[in-house]
Amino acid sequence: MTVRVGVFGTSWWADTMYLPPLTNHPKSEVVAVCGRRPGPAEAFAQTWNIPAWYTDAEEMLRSEELDAVVIATANDSHRPLALAAAGRGLHVLCEKPLGLNVAEAEEMVQAATRAEVTTLVPFTYRWMPMNQWVRQLVAEGYVGRPLHINLRYYTSFGFDPSYSWRFDKAIAGAGIIGDLGSHWIDLARWLLDDTERSVSATTANFVERADRPDGTAYTQMEDSAVLTVQYQSGAYGVLQTSAVCWEGTPFGQTHHLEIHGTEGTIHATCDWDTVQQVRGLRKGDTEGAQPLPIPDEVWNGVRRDTVHNTYRDVFRTTDVMTRGWISAIASGQTITPDFGDGLAVQRVIDAALRSAAAGGCGEPV
């Protein structure tokens, strides 16, 4: 079976993240692309040899013979595009966060369930070798019963005071919590194999941003956030995401992870340059955390010289995320994280926003 795919979105992210795996999968054919503006949409189609391009989503859905769509657009368009696609029985890959709020995400899940289509929400960091190895260690009991997890995502793009829809409530729904925080919410619950009970949040707008290009004002959302999450098991997590951290690395961001449990501790660091390192120690060890090298089978043949090459290879050459979604559709199977997982993350995002608005008090998820 060849899966005929339509792509919504012509940004650098669609160009980098979705077209390479879609075009090199033997069972995928990208037959159409839709963008907001004619020039970029046509150029995108020419670059990737896509037969048809559109600026009207409904026209593309009506005119093309499609099996599936990729939604790589701004957050406020996720719900209408997903509902339109699912209503036609099309499989849907939709960027995170799933919607602007829980109500939208629930509607999207219901539509996909009724249509019995294969969905995917690309929480990319699940598939990085460092995190795959940490999950395996936790599952094998290296730390015993997890007691708490700390995740920190530091980046600096938020220092730019220009207008960005990612901080515009009407378009994004949330700020850094929905953008990068959604990754951390998903990663923590996946690493712990646990679900959330409650969350409290502290947020800030450290940078004053310009008005929209048309001169109108908007509700500016957070560029830094700290979430404290209580899980059903009793463990808790501290999930920090900030777009105003100067790390001084070539890519301008770093990831840090710690898990402490009844029997041991895991530390993991990714500097988005050359470091992808996992260290650990068991209860009673007194010499500090020692390297826990990522096994060859976890690397799965991808390059490990730089984080960027690892990232490219994982998503362009291995059968995960976009490629895994295509394979699942072709074989009549499902894949995770799906819309249900996206809804679970959306519930935490909404609870965190409620908590921050109420001064940081705990909110049920």
Side-chain angles (χ1 to χ4, degrees):
M1 171 187 178
T2 297
V3 180
R4 296 163 297 187
V5 182
V7 176
F8 292 109
T10 59
S11 68
W12 69 270
W13 185 246
D15 181 78
T16 301
M17 200 66 190
Y18 294 117
L19 270 297
L22 286 171
T23 54
N24 70 25
H25 194 293
K27 294 187 177 181
S28 170
E29 180 185 3
V30 181
V31 298
V33 62
C34 182
R36 291 179 300 165
R37 294 173 295 159
E42 183 178 16
F44 192 94
Q46 290 176 347
T47 297
W48 289 100
N49 296 315
I50 300 171
W53 60 270
Y54 297 84
T55 57
D56 183 279
E58 183 63 31
E59 183 183 0
M60 185 177 87
L61 291 173
R62 184 178 60 250
S63 303
E64 296 294 330
E65 291 290 334
L66 300 173
D67 301 303
V69 298
V70 170
I71 302 173
T73 54
N75 302 350
D76 62 336
S77 64
H78 291 180
R79 171 190 166 275
L81 292 175
L83 294 183
R88 289 172 167 79
L90 305 181
H91 307 284
V92 185
L93 184 161
C94 181
E95 262 297 338
K96 54 76 194 167
L98 195 55
L100 292 179
N101 50 52
V102 167
E104 288 197 356
E106 286 178 336
E107 192 175 1
M108 294 164 71
V109 169
Q110 292 164 4
T113 301
R114 286 194 302 269
E116 298 182 342
V117 295
T118 298
T119 62
L120 177 70
V121 181
F123 293 116
T124 53
Y125 297 117
R126 283 193 184 199
W127 291 287
M128 290 297 282
M130 183 182 84
N131 298 325
Q132 289 278 328
W133 179 222
V134 171
R135 176 175 161 88
Q136 183 176 325
L137 288 168
V138 173
E140 292 173 350
Y142 186 91
V143 301
R145 179 169 65 89
L147 302 177
H148 44 75
I149 182 171
N150 296 326
L151 286 169
R152 289 161 287 149
Y153 195 134
Y154 298 146
T155 185
S156 58
F157 72 85
F159 280 120
D160 184 350
S162 304
Y163 171 79
S164 169
W165 69 262
R166 297 182 185 280
F167 298 108
D168 186 334
K169 181 176 177 60
I171 300 176
I176 203 70
I177 295 175
D179 189 0
L180 305 183
S182 59
H183 281 302
W184 262 201
I185 294 165
D186 176 74
L187 188 64
R189 68 196 322 264
W190 178 73
L191 290 172
L192 298 179
D193 194 21
D194 209 344
T195 55
E196 305 84 2
R197 180 187 303 166
S198 64
V199 61
S200 59
T202 302
T203 66
N205 300 323
F206 286 116
V207 175
E208 190 65 32
R209 304 183 191 285
D211 287 342
R212 292 173 177 150
D214 64 5
T216 59
Y218 61 98
T219 300
Q220 180 178 314
M221 299 304 289
E222 74 286 344
D223 53 32
S224 182
V226 178
L227 277 57
T228 301
V229 183
Q230 190 79 39
Y231 294 93
Q232 297 293 341
S233 67
Y236 68 84
V238 179
L239 316 180
Q240 181 175 9
T241 51
S242 177
V244 288
C245 294
W246 178 251
E247 290 290 273
T249 57
F251 196 62
Q253 71 177 32
T254 60
H255 297 174
H256 311 266
L257 180 160
E258 299 96 33
I259 301 177
H260 295 86
T262 56
E263 302 300 325
T265 299
I266 293 173
H267 297 270
T269 303
C270 171
D271 73 349
W272 273 94
D273 185 17
T274 61
V275 176
Q276 301 177 82
Q277 183 184 71
V278 180
R279 297 176 297 121
L281 67 161
R282 306 304 300 279
K283 187 168 70 176
D285 291 347
T286 59
E287 296 182 358
Q290 302 298 310
L292 297 172
I294 302 171
D296 288 343
E297 61 268 22
V298 175
W299 286 108
N300 194 26
V302 304
R303 290 173 290 177
R304 52 185 96 172
D305 52 345
T306 67
V307 181
H308 281 92
N309 282 338
T310 298
Y311 195 80
R312 292 185 184 99
D313 289 357
V314 165
F315 299 112
R316 296 179 182 182
T317 67
T318 69
D319 209 28
V320 302
M321 211 178 84
T322 308
R323 287 176 56 87
W325 175 65
I326 293 295
S327 294
I329 294 169
S331 60
Q333 299 178 344
T334 59
I335 188 173
T336 58
D338 59 12
F339 274 15
D341 296 295
L343 172 58
V345 170
Q346 191 74 57
R347 293 190 193 283
V348 181
I349 294 171
D350 281 24
L353 293 177
R354 294 196 305 270
S355 172
C361 62
E363 285 284 332
V365 174

